Amino acid sequence: MDIQTPRLLVVDDEPEIRRLVSEILEDEGYEVTMAEDAGTARQLKAATNPDLILLDIWMPDTDGITLLKEWVAEDTLTCPVVMMSGHGSVESAVEATRLGAYDYLEKPLSMAKLLLIVERALEAGYLQHENAGLRQGAAIDIEPVGRSAAVARTKDQLKRLAQHDARVLFVGEAGTGKELYARFLHNNSAHRDGPFIDVAVGSISPENSAVEFFGKECGGKVYPGLLERAHKGTLFLGEIAGMDKETQLRLLSALESSSFLRVGGSEAVRVDVRVVASTRISLDEEVKSGRFRQDLYYLLNEVTIEIPPLRTHSEDVPALLGFYVDYFVNQDKLAFRRFSMAAQNFLRNYGWRGNVRELKNLVQRLMILGVGEDIELEEVKSALGTVMGDIGGTASSVPDFFNLPLKEARDHFEKAYLEYHFERTGGSVAKLSAAVGMERTHLYRKLHSLNIKL
């Protein structure tokens, strides 16, 4: 698997709670380690380097509050901590959040709340590590591919814009590569040596938006937010129309004053950040309907760059096919395959409802599931007509991932399933949510965990 399974450490002295929590989390695809006391928790934390710790307050040797203070004082806490408290210790759990815990769960545990908080805490942990480049990956040096007039014109505009600090709004259909063009702008600007931080703003819950954007101060420690982590670089706000009204107001205030206060802080923080954004839907309509603030729209939309859909520059399709074949050979170590001329000609005339993202997903499916060095026309047509090939066929024709362990196979299925419906719904998360029957907040987390770009 190219996506690492999140590692969770559950610390509780009650065997039944450890077993129940572990089973639920493992069923959701997480890797779970359990500790019955503080001593074991210390050892497992060092040995497993978890992405999240669920920590009970009352334990026989050292209580959870003391253990949390210990980790904070030692500066060895590299992941979020969620406290678990009994009825009489909620006040202590609230105190723990002041010391640096992400949140707390009250016993008896609500399984729905457990899963929601785990998802949000993991997302917060990933954001904390962005400045180290965890989300930049190999794409940072990739330029938009194509020699068509449309691609050349867009790249030329961005090279000229890169010499100025104007805020840019990238407009275009889902899957056109708006983030990639934003990276191209960053890489050609004076901010090129700084970080490029991208965030799907719709995945940030209103109650956590202040901490996520501005960071927080507690227990004498500073936890930087998105704006600080993007200092001297670029902050890319993906699909800005998904931002809730409360977060819009907070961001507007920070951008207008060029400063902000961390949550729990008293000193204004100033950063040097270029903020760029993207949208797949008309923000003019969102403003007219009252769903998006007009003042924030004008602030972010100093310059509009339209990213053309792939069907308008289909002459770039062969170059894109070759590029992504090489990409998956180098990045995922897949066996090399080449598209026949008939297949290339067919794909040049294909509608590409999901644009470049659909093309990339198609290449990946053909390289994973196909056999032989040549990709012929019939194989392409078959792949476009189904998500994962002939699952209902004979045992000899089942997809390769059927031979994987259940958790990995489920990730493969979910990724292909969601990508298929994402393309069919035109890249709309709202329509995708209705099509697959998943609540939007959970859906955003699932798309992020499967590395499906919005």
Side-chain angles (χ1 to χ4, degrees), residues 196-309:
F196 180 92
I197 305 297
D198 70 277
V199 57
V201 296
S203 66
I204 298 178
S205 60
E207 60 268 28
N208 290 330
S209 64
V211 172
E212 303 248 10
F213 274 102
F214 311 129
K216 66 177 179 179
E217 297 180 24
C218 62
K221 291 184 67 65
V222 171
Y223 301 86
L226 287 165
L227 284 165
E228 275 186 271
R229 289 196 288 275
H231 181 53
K232 296 294 184 182
T234 300
L235 177 62
F236 175 67
L237 305 175
E239 298 307 329
I240 196 75
M243 182 179 287
D244 66 274
K245 295 294 288 288
E246 187 177 347
T247 305
Q248 290 177 35
L249 180 59
R250 287 169 173 163
L251 183 61
L252 173 70
S253 176
L255 294 180
E256 283 184 330
S257 63
S258 298
S259 66
F260 56 88
L261 291 175
R262 301 187 192 99
V263 175
S266 57
E267 233 177 89
V269 179
R270 292 185 176 274
V271 291
D272 175 18
V273 177
R274 182 174 196 162
V275 177
V276 297
S278 75
T279 180
R280 67 166 65 91
I281 64 177
S282 171
L283 282 188
D284 286 327
E285 293 300 318
E286 294 297 292
V287 169
K288 289 177 185 176
S289 68
R291 290 188 293 269
F292 199 86
R293 295 184 63 97
Q294 185 178 53
D295 41 12
L296 180 59
Y297 170 56
Y298 288 132
L299 196 65
L300 293 172
N301 189 26
E302 292 180 339
V303 179
T304 299
I305 293 291
E306 291 192 20
I307 306 302

Side-chain angles (χ1 to χ4, degrees), residues 342-415:
Q344 292 185 48
N345 287 335
F346 174 81
L347 292 174
R348 282 191 60 167
N349 295 294
Y350 179 67
W352 296 118
R353 184 166 45 188
N355 293 295
V356 177
R357 178 172 54 223
E358 183 183 4
L359 182 146
K360 177 183 177 182
N361 293 340
L362 173 67
V363 174
Q364 185 179 35
R365 288 201 296 268
L366 288 168
M367 293 182 70
I368 291 174
L369 301 178
V371 294
E373 191 169 298
D374 294 321
I375 301 174
E376 300 292 351
L377 176 58
E378 289 308 311
E379 185 181 357
V380 168
K381 288 182 177 180
S382 177
L384 288 172
T386 183
V387 179
M388 296 173 296
D390 184 15
I391 291 181
T394 63
S396 61
S397 65
V398 298
D400 288 347
F401 71 79
F402 270 37
N403 298 314
L404 295 174
L406 177 60
K407 290 177 185 176
E408 295 185 26
R410 183 169 64 178
D411 281 345
H412 278 265
F413 169 78
E414 289 182 344
K415 189 172 192 294

Side-chain angles (χ1 to χ4, degrees), residues 31 43 90 111 139 145 164 189 242 294 331 356 360 384 423:
E31 180 182 317
Q43 296 172 6
V90 174
M111 294 303 107
V145 176
H164 309 278
S189 73
Q294 185 178 53
Q331 296 297 318
V356 177
K360 177 183 177 182
L384 288 172
E423 291 166 10

Side-chain angles (χ1 to χ4, degrees), residues 43-191:
Q43 296 172 6
L44 291 176
K45 174 177 168 291
T48 63
N49 190 26
D51 299 301
L52 173 65
I53 299 173
L54 293 164
L55 179 60
D56 187 30
I57 287 184
W58 301 119
M59 291 186 293
D61 49 354
T62 303
D63 66 89
I65 300 291
T66 301
L67 187 57
L68 176 64
K69 286 181 179 178
E70 175 187 312
W71 286 336
V72 170
E74 293 173 349
D75 199 23
T76 60
L77 196 58
T78 58
C79 69
V81 173
V82 173
M83 306 302 294
M84 297 187 292
S85 63
H87 178 69
S89 56
V90 174
E91 190 174 324
S92 298
V94 173
E95 175 62 23
T97 62
R98 298 195 186 102
L99 294 171
Y102 175 79
D103 208 335
Y104 69 90
L105 288 161
E106 186 175 0
K107 297 177 182 177
L109 297 174
S110 160
M111 294 303 107
K113 189 173 182 181
L114 167 68
L115 294 176
L116 180 61
I117 288 181
V118 165
E119 285 183 320
R120 289 180 174 175
L122 284 169
E123 174 73 12
Y126 298 146
L127 290 173
Q128 289 286 354
H129 291 290
E130 277 184 353
N131 203 35
L134 293 183
R135 296 187 63 194
Q136 295 182 38
I140 193 166
D141 294 323
I142 296 176
E143 289 191 6
V145 176
R147 296 183 178 179
S148 64
V151 171
R153 182 172 57 252
T154 304
K155 289 169 69 174
D156 182 62
Q157 289 175 331
L158 291 174
K159 284 180 180 178
R160 285 184 274 121
L161 277 172
Q163 310 312 310
H164 309 278
D165 284 330
R167 297 190 183 100
V168 179
L169 179 65
F170 291 89
V171 177
E173 295 178 8
T176 51
K178 297 185 287 292
E179 180 198 338
L180 183 58
Y181 281 96
R183 287 184 184 273
F184 181 78
L185 173 68
H186 168 79
N187 290 342
N188 284 275
S189 73
H191 295 276

